Amino acid sequence: MSARPALLRACAAFLIVCSFVFAAPAAQDDEQRAPAAPEPKQAGGHGWMVLADDDGAAALVHLPPRGSDPERRGLVRQVPLRLAIAPDRAAFWGERLDLIMASERVGEGDDVRSIRRVLQVRAVRAPAGWSYEPRDRPETLQPLPGEPALLGFVGAPDGPTVLLRDGPTWTLGIMRDGRWEFSEPGWDAPPRVSQRVHLVLHGRHPAILVEGAGGGVGALWTLPEQPGEAWESEPIQTRSVPVAKDSTILGIDGQIVEVERTGAGVSLHLCREGGTFPIADAPDVPDGAHIAPLLGESVVAMGWVDRPGDAPTLSPVSALRLIEVSIFAKQIVYEGAASQHGPLSVQDLQWVSVALLLATVCLIVMVLRPDGAQLQIKLPEGIVPAAMWRRFVSTIIDLSVGLLIADIAFDISIELGPAASQVGGVELLTILGSSALAATLGEAMLGRSFGKMLAGLGVIGVRPDGTVGRASLVGIVLRNVLKWGTPPIGLLALLDPMRRHPGDLVGQTIVVQRAEASPPV
């Protein structure tokens, strides 16, 4: 008998820790799901890649910030979302990844139109790593018109930005507050057919880079901070090669970088007014490599799936190789296989918590199993263990009291119906905590909570010799923390001959009623 209470207390503490670890990401998700949450104003060193599978699907890969820790170079996290169809374009800003799908026709009859669906995924910082929101499928944003050609797509602090062209008409679109805002570029004259045009991020603002004809000096047009102001223009030089060159131009931390294909690899150059300046060469980057600027860290990451021959892999992420180039150090800072063995993600921690939770519940069941030497509780005459249906009624009433307290003190309420699915971790923990506090105060002062009072129940303490008396404050606190902190284990009371909740066993208490009690109100 002496070993059981100690073991049960240890199991109870572990169950409570697991439940809060499992609920913590939901609280983080709540904050990200709030519609009034502003866009991230700092890029924070994040990068994203979209890897296509052999069947046309796509895996989303998050490159977390590296910081100053060299051990974090090459670290990636696979987002637990799989797109059935690979997107046409991808862009990102900080924790936000934006995707544009290929043009498709929607509607019926005379209402048929062409659109491009726009999707969004966010990385959410959590105590144990990174979680990703939404969890089941990407968020759907306002679509783009499908007829114009999509010539550019970048992420920016205000929102994703696109450059469209429909014949001679050029249009710049910026998503603000969930709606696309379209305007004409503020250049002096549209570019000629022989000039290449790129949409890039210049510092914190979208910009349009128009290459010079025949490799001459071009122009970089930057979007003004305030609507209605004139666009700023500055001359810029790109590589003096034919128009059909195979290169990518991107903006990173106020610099314009050109990644040029050179034989079996790539060459990185800084583009400025006075010419182009070499950064570094990466000789082993194949065609089709994904390029992701790690904004805020001045690093360009290039990744590709390296399958020996036609060997299949369970996931393209498992065969991902990375090269990371620092544009200021002008050297490769990482080259090798991508690593997924960094800190545990929130999803990993949740699965571990679930497994340990189930193992602990099984241990409690084994401990509570009748063994012939169970403590015989000596109840006074006319007092019997509480009926399960009465305890259920009292719990519902106490939960309602907790909801009322949370609504008054913290302005938290729950709507019934479809809106109930929107209840998150913060609200749930607040309601359960309020219920536990109210029940603890009532049982400590009156020997019963408000719900138990209406159900005709009371809580008394159980001494080591089986006699009963007033429950101790410590016992009442323990039973309510375990009861409200881990609600599912309340079903274990069905296994106990005296119908004691695991919280009662830990707190050395028992819930009783009079043998001839009247029905509850």
Side-chain angles (χ1 to χ4, degrees):
M1 173 61 195
S2 60
R4 282 193 175 189
L7 181 58
L8 288 172
R9 285 189 175 92
C11 292
F14 182 75
L15 284 170
I16 294 169
V17 171
C18 286
S19 64
F20 275 94
V21 168
F22 191 80
Q28 295 283 338
D29 290 344
D30 266 358
E31 298 173 1
Q32 297 295 324
R33 195 162 48 230
E39 292 287 346
K41 295 301 180 183
Q42 299 295 330
H46 295 266
W48 296 82
M49 292 182 180
V50 180
L51 306 182
D53 292 339
D54 294 334
D55 58 358
L60 307 181
V61 180
H62 175 216
L63 284 66
R66 276 67 170 122
S68 59
D69 185 2
E71 297 297 326
R72 298 186 67 84
R73 295 291 178 193
L75 180 64
V76 300
R77 303 298 307 181
Q78 182 171 359
V79 179
L81 287 174
R82 186 174 181 271
L83 300 179
I85 301 176
D88 186 25
R89 298 289 185 94
F92 59 88
W93 171 264
E95 301 94 338
R96 186 192 71 224
L97 171 65
D98 300 300
L99 306 168
I100 295 181
M101 308 304 290
S103 179
E104 61 182 282
R105 299 184 69 84
V106 298
E108 297 179 355
D110 297 335
D111 193 29
V112 175
R113 65 189 188 280
S114 179
I115 66 168
R116 293 178 181 266
R117 289 186 296 140
V118 182
L119 309 177
Q120 188 176 94
V121 176
R122 291 175 180 268
V124 182
R125 197 69 175 96
W130 294 96
S131 179
Y132 300 96
E133 150 95 14
R135 296 187 179 186
D136 51 354
R137 66 182 61 184
E139 181 181 357
T140 301
L141 305 179
Q142 183 186 13
L144 282 168
E147 292 83 2
L150 178 60
L151 300 185
F153 183 36
V154 297
D158 290 337
T161 304
V162 296
L163 180 62
L164 306 175
R165 182 180 182 182
D166 190 0
T169 303
W170 296 77
T171 305
L172 185 74
I174 302 177
M175 178 168 283
R176 293 189 174 98
D177 299 326
R179 306 289 297 178
W180 286 107
E181 297 180 3
F182 297 102
S183 61
E184 294 183 1
W187 47 39
D188 292 338
R192 287 175 284 179
V193 177
S194 60
Q195 294 178 290
R196 293 207 312 168
V197 179
H198 309 270
L199 181 63
V200 298
L201 191 67
H202 191 214
R204 296 170 51 84
H205 305 285
I208 300 177
L209 188 151
V210 181
E211 293 191 36
V217 177
L220 181 67
W221 297 87
T222 303
L223 184 72
E225 293 189 10
Q226 300 296 330
E229 295 181 355
W231 286 48
E232 297 180 1
S233 173
E234 59 184 272
I236 193 165
Q237 176 74 57
T238 56
R239 300 284 287 168
S240 180
V241 294
V243 175
K245 64 184 179 180
D246 183 9
S247 67
T248 301
I249 294 182
L250 53 91
I252 174 170
D253 299 336
Q255 307 294 325
I256 302 299
V257 176
E258 183 170 5
V259 183
E260 180 187 359
R261 168 64 49 190
T262 56
V266 297
S267 179
L268 281 72
H269 294 81
L270 277 177
C271 299
R272 293 179 176 170
E273 179 182 359
T276 61
F277 304 90
I279 299 175
D281 294 329
D284 299 322
V285 178
D287 289 334
H290 302 270
I291 302 175
L294 305 185
L295 302 178
E297 297 188 357
S298 301
V299 171
V300 178
M302 293 167 283
W304 66 94
V305 178
D306 185 18
R307 292 189 178 98
D310 294 329
T313 58
L314 295 178
S315 168
V317 182
S318 61
L320 179 63
R321 293 189 64 82
L322 289 178
I323 289 182
E324 300 181 12
V325 179
S326 171
I327 66 173
F328 288 140
K330 297 184 177 181
Q331 64 181 5
I332 297 175
V333 294
Y334 179 83
E335 182 175 5
S339 172
Q340 300 187 67
H341 302 293
L344 287 176
S345 70
V346 174
Q347 286 83 1
D348 297 334
L349 187 62
Q350 285 181 339
W351 282 112
V352 172
S353 299
V354 169
L356 296 178
L357 186 67
L358 293 176
T360 307
V361 170
C362 293
L363 178 61
I364 291 181
V365 172
M366 297 299 294
V367 172
L368 298 183
R369 187 176 55 184
D371 56 5
Q374 188 173 7
L375 176 66
Q376 297 296 321
I377 301 178
K378 306 176 182 63
L379 294 176
E381 184 177 356
I383 300 297
V384 296
M388 293 304 300
W389 70 270
R390 291 180 182 272
R391 298 188 66 167
F392 178 77
V393 170
S394 69
T395 299
I396 295 300
I397 296 174
D398 288 334
L399 183 62
S400 302
V401 172
L403 177 59
L404 180 62
I405 295 175
D407 186 28
I408 296 175
F410 305 101
D411 194 23
I412 291 178
S413 61
I414 292 181
E415 297 181 6
L416 299 179
S421 60
Q422 301 176 1
V423 177
V426 173
E427 289 86 349
L428 183 59
L429 291 177
T430 303
I431 293 169
L432 293 177
S434 300
S435 301
L437 178 61
T440 299
L441 293 176
E443 292 169 6
M445 294 187 296
L446 306 175
R448 62 188 68 186
S449 64
F450 184 71
K452 290 182 176 63
M453 184 183 304
L454 296 182
L457 307 178
V459 178
I460 57 178
V462 178
R463 303 188 182 98
D465 59 358
T467 59
V468 297
R470 185 179 180 86
S472 66
L473 178 60
V474 174
I476 291 174
V477 171
L478 286 175
R479 77 173 302 275
N480 280 296
V481 168
L482 187 58
K483 172 183 177 180
W484 297 102
T486 55
I489 69 171
L491 297 175
L492 295 177
L494 299 173
L495 302 178
D496 190 272
M498 301 295 286
R499 298 191 284 275
R500 298 174 75 191
H501 186 283
D504 291 317
L505 296 173
V506 173
Q508 297 183 2
T509 59
I510 185 173
V511 181
V512 296
Q513 68 177 64
R514 293 187 181 277
E516 300 296 332
S518 58
V521 177

